[in-house]
Amino acid sequence: SMSLREHAVSLFRSAVGTVQPAQMLKRAMKLQGDRCPQLLVKGRAFPVKRDLYLVGFGKAVLGMAAAAEEILGDRLVRGIINVPLGIQESLQRAGMHEMLLKPHSKIQVIEGAKNNLPDPEALKGAVAIQELVEGLTVDDLLLVLISGRGGSALLPAPILPMLLEEKEKLTKMLASQGAAIQELNIVRKTLSLLKGGGLARLAYPAQVVSLILSDVIGDPLDIIASGPTAASSHSVQDCLQILAKYNLLHNLPRSVETVLSSSPTKPTAPEDYAHVCNIIIGSNTLALDEAKRQAEGLGYVTLILSTAICGEVSHVATLYCQLIRLVCLGFAGLREGPLSDEVRRNLLQLAAELEIPGLNLAEFLQALQELGPERPVCILAGGETTVQLQGTGKGGRNQELALRVGLGLHRAQATEVSSSPGRCEILFLSGGTDGQDGPTEAAGAFCSPELVDEALREGLNVEAFLSNNDSYTFFSQFQGGHHLLVTGLTGTNVMDIQAILIRAT
């Protein structure tokens, strides 16, 4: 029979496969009719009265643009996309030619945002996009391709007199104070010409159709890539509150103060966006649904915990450990009793502390309670955790999460000698759907309590690896990195995916 690791890899790959740019676009969009052509997007029809233009920005946009150009054919007049530096070369090297534009493409590619930071190249691309959309008329149709990851860094157009360096310095200061990505995006948006609906406002009166690959929890349109085609739900007040929260209000560059003091205090009205249609074509939810189908096909009873897992990686690891303990107690015939009750109480308290959006843990635990004891269990989740960097090691949030779960399970097993009958085989996987986790070539890692046992027998100090944020080095020590999940660039991104696989031994 296949190992849990093989199962986990297959689930992860199928989840990522379903949000590949070409597949998503072909599912979402087609062009029909010769005399009066229409663009059909998810069942909605947009007449192509005059010219069709395309702009895009973000990590997965190159593949999206290649698929879009194939669908649109000669109807496409011109396009400009802003993509991460070196991505064409990386895709070429990886042999992913279907994600590259054809030689005589009408779409101009600008590469920028080295290390996912806004830079002069990204600014050049943003200005080119701005100039294209400003010239559109009421009969034009603008297709906007947005890939959340990197989308924000690739669309920097600070409101003058602010300079790009000043805006960037402020963002860096916020990030170093531990500001959440949502907070960073609100600040960036307030100081930007194209974000927070700016792009859509400039394209007026043309019809704007945005196809969006979401990399943000809950898929909020105004937050993905800082919402260039969505009405912003935030005002300048929110931005000032965030700056105050991280004690940055008192050392702002003068130009930033100028922009903040002259910004409208109210968010724009929704009717200003009547010419815009925003459609999510790929998300963590879609990826997890596909993984669930696959897991059920492999014989697992499968539950999706949440697509909005967030919070500090050590807290999230504790939540996963307690969930796994609960399932294993079920396998051991201890579904009822003081131990299970205690684990359930812990879980409800943890969930309350983590404040995971939309998670109804009581309902989830009820569903777990009703599982039969004989079939293997798969629990899937997605989202994005955060790591407070303390060390100088190598790793990413997924590898660190996997190692923390492994260590937590090892500890739980060491204290529960009594429940050794009904032992479980457990595998935990966490991986980034873009194929990258931190500054490493791994997308994530697999971990099990046995791996931690083995490490401790070999005299490795797992705690020390964790406190140095050095999970990659830890996993590299074993079986030639067999516990690292290495996929290479995937050309897409819908945050992270976690899979817990448990079967009775």
Side-chain angles (χ1 to χ4, degrees):
S1 71
M2 281 169 80
S3 69
L4 292 187
R5 183 184 182 279
E6 287 165 320
H7 283 174
V9 170
S10 128
L11 298 183
F12 185 81
R13 288 196 184 275
S14 64
V16 169
T18 202
V19 289
Q20 284 295 334
Q23 266 168 288
M24 286 185 312
L25 266 132
K26 286 171 186 158
R27 275 201 305 264
M29 171 173 98
K30 60 171 183 275
L31 192 65
Q32 70 169 31
D34 269 348
R35 286 236 327 279
C36 318
Q38 287 185 315
L39 188 64
L40 288 182
V41 186
K42 289 240 172 149
R44 295 188 54 172
F46 301 95
V48 183
K49 295 177 198 155
R50 204 182 86 164
D51 291 338
L52 209 161
Y53 294 91
L54 179 153
V55 296
F57 27 89
K59 207 173 199 172
V61 154
L62 196 57
M64 290 165 84
E69 188 162 34
E70 212 167 287
I71 295 165
L72 302 173
D74 294 340
R75 286 280 159 204
L76 180 65
V77 175
R78 180 173 170 231
I80 299 174
I81 59 171
N82 224 5
V83 295
L85 188 69
I87 194 155
Q88 294 179 95
E89 196 195 332
S90 303
L91 291 170
Q92 207 137 20
R93 264 210 314 270
M96 296 165 84
H97 302 295
E98 72 284 359
M99 293 205 188
L100 296 165
L101 295 169
K102 301 283 180 280
H104 302 292
S105 169
K106 289 177 185 164
I107 300 172
Q108 177 192 357
V109 182
I110 297 169
E111 292 194 354
K114 187 178 178 183
N115 300 329
N116 201 18
L117 294 168
D119 57 16
E121 288 310 305
L123 181 58
K124 194 176 93 182
V127 170
I129 287 173
Q130 179 190 337
E131 287 168 355
L132 184 146
V133 305
E134 278 175 333
L136 301 180
T137 72
V138 71
D139 288 331
D140 291 322
L141 178 61
L142 177 68
L143 187 63
V144 184
L145 305 176
I146 300 176
S147 145
R149 176 64 78 231
S152 193
L154 284 158
L155 204 64
I159 299 169
L160 298 172
M162 188 179 28
L163 298 172
L164 185 59
E165 299 79 82
E166 294 175 314
K167 184 175 158 190
E168 208 180 320
K169 191 173 163 201
L170 182 61
T171 317
K172 271 201 187 119
M173 279 157 69
L174 275 168
S176 69
Q177 299 282 342
I181 184 72
Q182 285 83 346
E183 295 176 313
L184 292 176
N185 278 342
I186 291 169
V187 173
R188 282 188 190 129
K189 215 160 52 172
T190 313
L191 303 174
S192 169
L193 194 59
L194 297 174
K195 293 169 185 162
L199 180 73
R201 290 196 299 275
L202 290 177
Y204 182 85
Q207 170 71 56
V208 178
V209 180
S210 251
L211 303 184
I212 302 165
L213 175 60
S214 168
D215 70 325
V216 182
I217 284 174
D219 310 333
L221 291 170
D222 63 320
I223 301 236
I224 302 162
S226 304
T229 57
S232 175
S233 55
H234 300 104
S235 65
V236 111
Q237 254 12 74
D238 300 307
C239 177
L240 293 169
Q241 257 169 350
I242 291 163
L243 293 170
K245 175 179 168 184
Y246 296 102
N247 298 323
L248 293 175
L249 267 183
H250 303 298
N251 48 0
L252 292 176
R254 176 149 307 153
S255 65
V256 176
E257 287 180 357
T258 307
V259 170
L260 287 172
S261 60
S262 60
S263 294
T265 47
K266 280 194 178 61
T268 22
E271 54 270 22
D272 294 345
Y273 294 88
H275 63 300
V276 183
C277 179
N278 288 307
I279 298 167
I280 301 255
I281 62 168
S283 65
N284 192 272
T285 306
L286 279 167
L288 287 184
D289 287 345
E290 179 58 32
K292 179 174 194 271
R293 261 205 304 283
Q294 294 283 334
E296 287 169 345
L298 291 168
Y300 288 88
V301 182
T302 308
L303 295 173
I304 294 179
L305 173 67
S306 164
T307 58
I309 296 293
C310 54
E312 223 287 309
V313 62
S314 56
H315 300 264
V316 174
T318 309
L319 179 80
Y320 283 142
C321 287
Q322 298 287 348
L323 264 181
I324 293 165
R325 279 183 69 196
L326 196 58
V327 175
C328 289
L329 287 168
F331 277 142
L334 300 170
R335 189 157 286 169
E336 304 295 332
L339 202 50
S340 287
D341 291 345
E342 183 200 338
V343 174
R344 270 192 286 272
R345 275 198 304 276
N346 289 347
L347 275 166
L348 289 165
Q349 181 169 356
L350 271 167
E353 285 166 17
L354 278 165
E355 295 180 349
I356 291 163
L359 172 61
N360 184 339
L361 190 66
E363 200 175 282
F364 184 84
L365 294 178
Q366 190 52 48
L368 261 187
Q369 189 82 343
E370 289 157 13
L371 297 183
E374 53 295 320
R375 286 181 53 203
V377 173
C378 170
I379 296 173
L380 296 167
E384 205 153 279
T385 56
T386 43
V387 174
Q388 295 287 344
L389 285 178
Q390 284 149 339
T392 54
K394 226 177 144 182
R397 58 178 181 263
N398 289 291
Q399 294 162 67
E400 180 149 331
L401 178 59
L403 184 51
R404 284 186 183 278
V405 169
L407 181 61
L409 292 173
H410 164 81
R411 285 188 177 145
Q413 283 181 358
T415 56
E416 281 170 28
V417 186
S418 58
S419 68
S420 49
R423 286 299 291 267
C424 290
E425 187 187 356
I426 303 163
L427 185 77
F428 178 83
L429 162 70
S430 187
T433 53
D434 60 350
Q436 293 174 311
D437 186 38
T440 71
E441 91 280 7
F446 309 86
C447 203
S448 62
E450 289 73 32
L451 182 67
V452 174
D453 295 344
E454 188 186 330
L456 295 170
R457 280 200 305 276
E458 289 183 17
L460 291 175
N461 182 341
V462 182
E463 279 288 323
F465 281 101
L466 282 169
S467 55
N468 194 29
N469 300 116
D470 203 14
S471 48
Y472 175 81
T473 308
F474 173 87
F475 287 117
S476 303
Q477 317 259 338
F478 299 92
Q479 299 163 348
H482 179 71
H483 295 275
L484 290 165
L485 171 68
V486 181
T487 61
L489 268 187
T490 62
T492 188
N493 188 339
V494 293
M495 300 186 289
D496 302 335
I497 287 177
Q498 280 101 41
I500 298 169
L501 302 182
I502 307 174
R503 58 185 176 195
T505 48

